[in-house]
Amino acid sequence: MKPSALPLPFAGPGDALERAVGAHRRLARVEAEKVEHLVTYLRKAAAEAAAMDPSASPGAERVCAYGGEGTPEVAEFVVCEIGAALGISQQSASRLVADVFDIVYRLPILYAALEDGRIELWRLRKVAVATRDLSEPLAHEVDLRLSAAGSVDATPLLGRVSTARMKQIIDQVAGVVDPASRDDEIKQNLENRFVSITDGEPGVAELKASLSKADAARLDQRVRIVTGWLRELGDERPVGVLQSEATGWIAEPARLAMLHEQVLNHRYIVAHTDTPDDEPAEADAPNEADVPNDVDDDGAAESAATATSSGPADADVPADKDPEQALPDAFRRAAMPATRLYLHWDHASDTYSPEGIGAISRAEAAEILNHSRVTLTPVIDLTSNPTYTGYVAPPRLKDQTALANAGLCTFPSCSRSARTAEYDHITDHHAVGSTDARNGHRLCKHHHRCKTFTDWRVYSPAAGVWLWRSPKGRHYLVTAGTTTRLDTRPIDWAAAHAA
């Protein structure tokens, strides 16, 4: 009898929650069906990749290994077909392909549990990611340990532990069975560190990063120090808000040095104000102990040291003098490196949108503009079609095409910024294709190569509208940052264009 046929040991009262549990298990089996179909498609793609000419021209489609050791290789642009069909980004499609390969080829016992509905796909994908850099024998050892069924029911161990515990078990396997592999993984993780800032809820952005453990400890300590400074100066907001504020201060070393100087002066004033007669005044003067020993190396440490040496540590304040009169000279704002921020204003809705951050309120726009040097540029009419004679798109045309698809690459479901993407001629320039806004659009580097070296085709029937056809014959409509799958074919635009 299969484990899925076993009754639940404690089935409950049969209420709506128990029915939700049953639906949850059925959903796992549907997810297993999705994986099955994807791996069937990918196996065929792997066979086609094996027959590809390895001596292709530079920039052409490559054969890539997405999964871990022991999984097949596929042509890289196969992922473009999958991402467009499922309506997910290139990055998400790449991760899905890698996870599917690892689940089927490297974690077969857990995959069987997914097929039986005893475990969810999201748990299995976490294992696939966590074991990707392990050798194939180590991955199978993890598969064996995490698939161990409980004595009460048939739920694998993976379904009964937290994500943190799952990671701990994998680390134990790697550390005990193959310690050298764990060292290699640490080295690889350090080489793949990143920082990503993306649009979040209204008014905020989200920060995601991976740091070395040492850097993370130093950053955590610095955030705690600056949070303490803000609290010392009377900021009573919640700790989480102050920590977020402190992270922003760290981004500007000159301002951070000034904040530190302000804290030192505040301490000096407090130490020399309203001292009781029976308590001798102790000069809480700034000294080296007040200066954190891990100040950033890009100038903040030097500024802070200057502030402490020039402070009034050894000055005696006459009784008839206000302590504030003994403060150092007024703060001088240090010159900050210039940064460029594109802030778009939509007249119709009276809204503002900084590129890469998302829509903001009028007050937030005013906060940006009030302490910035503002350069007004002419309004770009996205319906106009400026035409140029050369092959290379000039800056104004690049600006226009970067705004055309809500600031995104025009490939189906791609979420990469068009500002950093490449200008592409829809009809090749050498085939009498003009360099203008109607025959041009912005594609990220990956999808630009995909269009150039495969049978992906695109046609723009109107300004801001792109019709795509995949090599397998699927059709997509891209406009205003959205992608719509066209299950019917209202026009055979590919044949019309080819003619």
Side-chain angles (χ1 to χ4, degrees):
M1 180 180 295
K2 284 189 175 182
S4 60
L6 293 174
L8 287 173
F10 308 109
D15 59 9
L17 181 57
E18 296 304 320
R19 291 194 290 274
V21 172
H24 190 65
R25 293 196 168 195
R26 291 195 298 274
L27 179 60
R29 288 193 286 268
V30 171
E31 290 176 326
E33 182 182 356
K34 174 183 174 181
V35 171
E36 179 184 358
H37 293 317
L38 280 173
V39 78
T40 299
Y41 183 85
L42 288 169
R43 280 172 174 155
K44 182 178 179 181
E48 295 172 351
M52 288 179 60
D53 182 6
S55 60
S57 61
E61 185 173 22
R62 302 185 299 263
V63 174
C64 299
Y66 288 91
E69 180 183 289
T71 60
E73 296 180 334
V74 295
E76 62 176 322
F77 297 142
V78 168
V79 176
C80 299
E81 183 86 33
I82 293 173
L86 296 179
I88 57 179
S89 69
Q90 174 70 25
Q91 301 92 317
S92 297
S94 297
R95 289 193 292 266
L96 177 61
V97 169
D99 292 349
V100 166
F101 272 143
D102 282 349
I103 289 169
V104 174
Y105 285 89
R106 290 161 56 89
L107 305 168
I109 307 176
L110 288 173
Y111 178 41
L114 174 69
E115 292 179 307
D116 290 337
R118 291 179 288 131
I119 199 168
E120 304 96 325
L121 179 59
W122 68 268
R123 293 180 184 271
L124 201 44
R125 291 188 68 176
K126 283 185 176 294
V127 179
V129 172
T131 59
R132 181 149 304 137
D133 295 328
L134 299 183
S135 65
E136 192 172 4
L138 277 180
H140 288 318
E141 179 66 24
V142 171
D143 184 33
L144 188 63
R145 295 198 187 186
L146 290 178
S147 61
S151 58
V152 176
D153 62 7
T155 303
L157 177 62
L158 179 60
R160 294 179 279 115
V161 298
S162 65
T163 301
R165 176 59 181 146
M166 177 268 291
K167 278 284 296 174
Q168 186 181 38
I169 292 172
I170 294 174
D171 289 342
Q172 288 171 344
V173 171
V176 173
V177 179
D178 189 358
S181 174
R182 174 57 54 189
D183 293 339
D184 291 341
E185 183 181 7
I186 292 174
K187 181 179 178 181
Q188 183 66 33
N189 289 338
L190 289 173
E191 292 175 351
N192 292 333
R193 285 172 287 178
F194 72 95
V195 174
S196 173
I197 300 177
T198 58
D199 185 25
E201 298 297 324
V204 297
E206 294 183 354
L207 172 64
K208 184 178 181 181
S210 64
L211 309 173
S212 71
K213 303 253 180 177
D215 288 343
R218 283 191 290 266
L219 178 61
D220 179 65
Q221 180 66 16
R222 175 48 50 82
V223 169
R224 291 173 184 271
I225 290 172
V226 179
T227 299
W229 291 350
L230 295 172
R231 182 73 82 199
E232 190 173 350
L233 293 175
D235 198 327
E236 298 296 332
R237 289 177 293 176
V239 173
V241 175
L242 292 182
Q243 289 174 332
S244 175
E245 187 90 9
T247 305
W249 279 91
I250 292 172
E252 299 187 64
R255 288 184 67 217
L256 185 62
M258 293 195 313
L259 176 65
H260 183 226
E261 186 173 353
Q262 186 178 357
V263 169
L264 297 178
N265 290 328
H266 171 75
R267 293 173 182 173
Y268 179 82
I269 293 172
V270 171
H272 292 84
T273 303
D274 297 330
T275 303
D277 294 336
D278 57 347
E279 289 187 19
E282 294 183 6
D284 187 17
N287 52 56
E288 291 184 1
D290 292 318
V291 183
N293 58 11
D294 58 345
V295 180
D296 295 335
D297 295 329
D298 52 1
E302 181 179 353
S303 300
T306 303
T308 55
S309 62
S310 62
D314 301 321
D316 292 327
V317 183
D320 58 344
K321 289 284 188 179
D322 185 337
E324 292 193 15
Q325 295 179 5
L327 292 177
D329 294 336
F331 299 140
R332 292 187 297 273
R333 180 177 292 275
M336 295 296 296
T339 57
R340 177 172 295 179
L341 174 68
Y342 292 95
L343 181 64
H344 301 290
W345 175 56
D346 182 65
H347 177 71
S349 61
D350 192 23
T351 57
Y352 301 84
S353 300
E355 285 187 16
I357 298 178
I360 61 175
S361 66
R362 175 184 286 270
E364 290 171 308
E367 183 179 353
I368 293 174
L369 299 175
N370 281 344
H371 65 277
S372 305
R373 186 177 66 182
V374 179
T375 301
L376 297 178
T377 58
V379 174
I380 298 177
D381 183 2
L382 298 183
T383 62
S384 65
N385 188 34
T387 302
Y388 302 88
T389 56
Y391 172 78
V392 178
R396 181 165 177 80
L397 180 57
K398 288 184 176 180
D399 281 343
Q400 179 169 341
T401 52
L403 299 171
N405 186 42
L408 300 177
C409 165
T410 63
F411 193 86
S413 299
C414 185
S415 58
R416 290 192 173 122
S417 170
R419 180 69 65 180
T420 57
E422 300 173 347
Y423 179 89
D424 172 64
H425 292 80
I426 294 178
T427 299
D428 192 76
H429 186 264
H430 300 294
V432 201
S434 57
T435 302
D436 57 25
R438 287 298 306 278
N439 188 52
H441 61 150
R442 299 291 283 271
L443 291 173
C444 67
K445 188 176 185 65
H446 183 83
H447 289 137
H448 194 179
R449 291 177 50 243
C450 179
K451 172 182 174 291
T452 302
F453 293 103
T454 68
D455 289 332
W456 276 95
R457 295 293 177 264
V458 61
Y459 166 58
S460 178
V465 178
W466 297 270
L467 288 172
W468 285 86
R469 186 196 67 189
S470 79
K472 301 297 184 181
R474 296 180 181 87
H475 292 69
Y476 305 91
L477 168 67
V478 177
T479 183
T482 65
T483 298
T484 304
R485 171 80 179 270
L486 302 178
D487 291 325
T488 58
R489 303 182 184 181
I491 56 173
D492 193 353
W493 58 270
H497 236 58

